[in-house]
Amino acid sequence: MPSNLYCRHFLKQLGSPNSNTKLYNSILALQNEIVINCPSNNKVLGIVSVEDELYSAAIAKALVEFYEIHEEKTLLLNVNMHNDIMPIVFEGKDYQVLEKMTLGKTSKEGFATYKTLGLEEFSSEVLHSEEFKAYMQKVREHYDHVVLMLPPIPEYRDVLLLKDVMDCAVLITKRDRTEVSKIYECVNFLKKNEIPLATISVVK
Amino acid sequence: MENKYEKEFTIKMIFTAIKRHFRTLIYFLICFTAIGYTYGYMLTKVNYKSTGSISTTYSLTVSQYGSIVDTTKYQVPALVETDLAEQGIKHADGTAITLAEINNGLGIPEVPNTIKTLTISFSYTNSDKSVVKPVLNSILQQSVKYNNEHNVVQSNNPLAVVIVATEPTTTSNPMTKLLLFLGAGLVIGALIIIVKEWNHYAIDTPSDIVDLEKGAVTIEYRGGNKNAK
């Protein structure tokens, strides 16, 4: 059971208590849906959005914090090279940033991070490399959950490079903003590329 | 097999469109109300109308009825012009009431095929409220006088004024115009936002993607800090 301290931390991280009691319950429902639709294979979860990256990043973080509250060791890995909204790797109860970097080829820290993986720079080739696959295998063994933050689809097709290391995907949509036709397009895109879709979440 | 999105025009879509673009609708209403107010109260001339009747004791023939109407239309206005001048009835700004004004403002009834009433109603319309009532009273009096003197009706069945000119009322109501514009703004605004929503319908609830047969979850993120790091 999560301690009060963690619950308070969750609320503090994600906004006002009123809204986040609801958020906590929403994430619980999201997790249930993931377990129902991908019962055996949901360790490495890809968070993809249709267009609104900010909400997908926030929901990815909320999901990680939810796992942490339930004392499950979780890694949040931002592999979206098209934004610079947050550090790349989170881990631990206090959300210590293990390898802080902002995404972007000019970031020295980012360069250093991928240096540790034996990679020269962060690009699509990184995601396609054997080193990255080995790294993902290592984190798969080490963590209870791995949440991958991916760029929006189908605009960016990086998700295809990760389909082998990812168990299932969660599609994030924004109420009043994401067009229904685009959601169909994304679902068809995932289906066509044989990427299991755990659920679609509508951020209110 | 691909899931094909088929647009459906539903009541939910209309309500969602109005809910999402409520502000746009309000802007439309404000703009059209302003135009309606300007048109109704500032650009359009307000006219005032008064009615009155003359009558005989016994019934009239169609021919007599037609004659009274014709004399009132063609002979009486000149007499009224003179009468008004003699009485010193003028416009509020001091100008005289012209023959053209009397002719243009005079409202005469259609001659019916069968006469069912003893009274003949006339009306007078003018933009100057102060002259409407006296002019119509003069028309009624002059019509009675002329037709009695020229034996249009029998001497034992004379014409008389039975209903004097009523208090003038506006013929074109600016409020009606304003309401019409307001209604037009509402309809046009609603149509525009519905068409806009139809072309780019964004998700409202998971029920919008029920055809995907994929469980969807609503995440209550209202008030959350999406930039929280």
Side-chain angles (χ1 to χ4, degrees):
Chain A
M1 283 293 289
S3 70
N4 286 339
L5 180 69
Y6 285 149
C7 286
R8 279 205 301 276
H9 182 73
F10 188 85
L11 299 177
K12 189 183 167 191
Q13 283 285 305
L14 291 156
S16 66
N18 285 340
S19 65
N20 281 288
T21 310
K22 287 180 182 173
L23 178 61
Y24 181 88
N25 291 332
S26 302
I27 300 294
L28 181 64
L30 176 66
Q31 172 58 14
N32 288 341
E33 203 64 40
I34 292 166
V35 172
I36 289 166
N37 291 316
C38 299
S40 57
N41 229 0
N42 57 29
K43 194 167 193 177
V44 181
L45 202 63
I47 306 290
V48 288
S49 64
V50 178
E51 53 193 7
D52 201 316
E53 294 178 22
L54 282 177
Y55 278 97
S56 94
I59 299 306
K61 284 187 74 181
L63 198 57
V64 169
E65 295 192 16
F66 175 85
Y67 290 140
E68 291 290 345
I69 285 171
H70 290 269
E71 297 184 344
E72 291 172 349
K73 203 173 179 190
T74 310
L75 181 78
L76 173 61
L77 190 58
N78 184 357
V79 288
N80 181 357
M81 69 187 81
H82 307 286
N83 70 14
D84 57 354
I85 54 175
M86 61 193 300
I88 183 166
V89 185
F90 291 87
E91 188 232 40
K93 290 172 183 175
D94 298 323
Y95 311 95
Q96 293 292 325
V97 176
L98 285 185
E99 300 165 77
K100 189 174 182 183
M101 65 172 283
T102 51
L103 293 177
K105 290 175 186 175
T106 55
S107 165
K108 284 182 181 176
E109 284 178 286
F111 182 77
T113 303
Y114 284 93
K115 271 281 194 186
T116 61
L117 295 175
L119 304 167
E120 288 301 321
E121 61 176 3
F122 188 70
S123 65
S124 295
E125 283 72 38
V126 170
L127 304 177
H128 207 46
S129 67
E130 288 304 317
E131 289 88 345
F132 188 77
K133 282 178 185 168
Y135 176 75
M136 286 306 296
Q137 189 56 42
K138 201 173 80 179
V139 296
R140 183 185 276 273
E141 288 163 10
H142 194 255
Y143 292 94
D144 296 320
H145 295 280
V146 179
V147 178
L148 298 176
M149 279 174 54
L150 297 161
I153 56 167
E155 188 186 357
Y156 297 111
R157 301 192 167 223
D158 299 10
V159 68
L160 299 179
L161 301 171
L162 293 161
K163 63 186 261 191
D164 294 335
V165 298
M166 200 169 79
D167 293 330
C168 59
V170 172
L171 184 64
I172 308 290
T173 65
K174 178 75 183 87
R175 186 191 184 193
D176 296 340
R177 198 181 299 173
T178 311
E179 286 180 32
V180 175
S181 58
K182 286 187 178 171
I183 299 173
Y184 273 71
E185 199 182 328
C186 291
V187 170
N188 287 330
F189 173 81
L190 293 172
K191 196 184 268 185
K192 192 179 164 188
N193 292 293
E194 295 172 341
I195 298 167
L197 178 61
T199 185
I200 301 166
S201 65
V202 184
V203 180
K204 200 171 160 185
Chain B
M1 192 180 163
E2 281 203 350
N3 298 95
K4 200 177 173 188
Y5 173 49
E6 286 171 7
K7 286 181 183 177
E8 281 179 34
F9 193 75
T10 58
I11 297 289
K12 181 179 180 280
M13 183 185 269
I14 295 171
F15 278 111
T16 307
I18 290 169
K19 187 180 74 183
R20 283 177 183 160
H21 304 284
F22 191 70
R23 205 177 285 177
T24 309
L25 197 59
I26 295 294
Y27 293 152
F28 263 94
L29 284 180
I30 292 169
C31 287
F32 273 76
T33 305
I35 294 167
Y37 181 86
T38 311
Y39 177 70
Y41 285 93
M42 296 176 183
L43 298 180
T44 311
K45 221 175 184 179
V46 179
N47 282 323
Y48 296 89
K49 186 181 179 181
S50 176
T51 54
S53 303
I54 56 175
S55 177
T56 50
T57 312
Y58 310 110
S59 62
L60 293 165
T61 61
V62 173
S63 162
Q64 286 172 323
Y65 192 104
S67 297
I68 294 166
V69 167
D70 282 346
T71 54
T72 310
K73 187 176 179 183
Y74 299 110
Q75 313 298 329
V76 171
L79 301 172
V80 171
E81 187 190 14
T82 313
D83 182 47
L84 293 173
E86 283 170 3
Q87 288 185 56
I89 296 168
K90 291 178 180 176
H91 281 295
D93 61 6
T95 55
I97 299 160
T98 63
L99 182 62
E101 270 185 281
I102 297 165
N103 279 323
N104 291 338
L106 178 61
I108 55 162
E110 291 279 319
V111 180
N113 292 327
T114 52
I115 308 295
K116 292 176 181 172
T117 175
L118 297 175
T119 60
I120 305 172
S121 295
F122 295 94
S123 66
Y124 182 69
T125 308
N126 196 290
S127 57
D128 185 354
K129 191 180 177 182
S130 65
V131 302
V132 173
K133 199 174 169 181
V135 169
L136 183 62
N137 276 331
S138 176
I139 289 168
L140 297 172
Q141 285 160 9
Q142 293 303 319
S143 178
V144 165
K145 191 178 169 188
Y146 183 89
N147 285 300
N148 286 338
E149 282 175 3
H150 289 80
N151 298 319
V152 176
V153 289
Q154 292 100 332
S155 55
N156 61 346
N157 189 23
L159 274 169
V161 177
V162 286
I163 301 172
V164 293
T166 56
E167 281 302 319
T169 53
T170 53
T171 53
S172 53
N173 192 347
M175 182 55 80
T176 310
K177 286 195 178 91
L178 195 146
L179 290 174
L180 277 173
F181 270 86
L182 197 139
L186 190 72
V187 171
I188 292 168
L191 278 176
I192 286 172
I193 62 176
I194 287 168
V195 169
K196 192 181 169 191
E197 197 66 29
W198 168 254
N199 289 329
H200 303 282
Y201 183 62
I203 190 165
D204 183 46
T205 59
S207 66
D208 291 327
I209 49 171
V210 75
D211 290 345
L212 286 172
E213 293 170 353
K214 187 58 71 180
V217 182
T218 301
I219 296 186
E220 292 271 356
Y221 202 73
R222 200 173 291 161
N225 178 10
K226 66 180 178 181
N227 295 313
K229 287 188 179 181

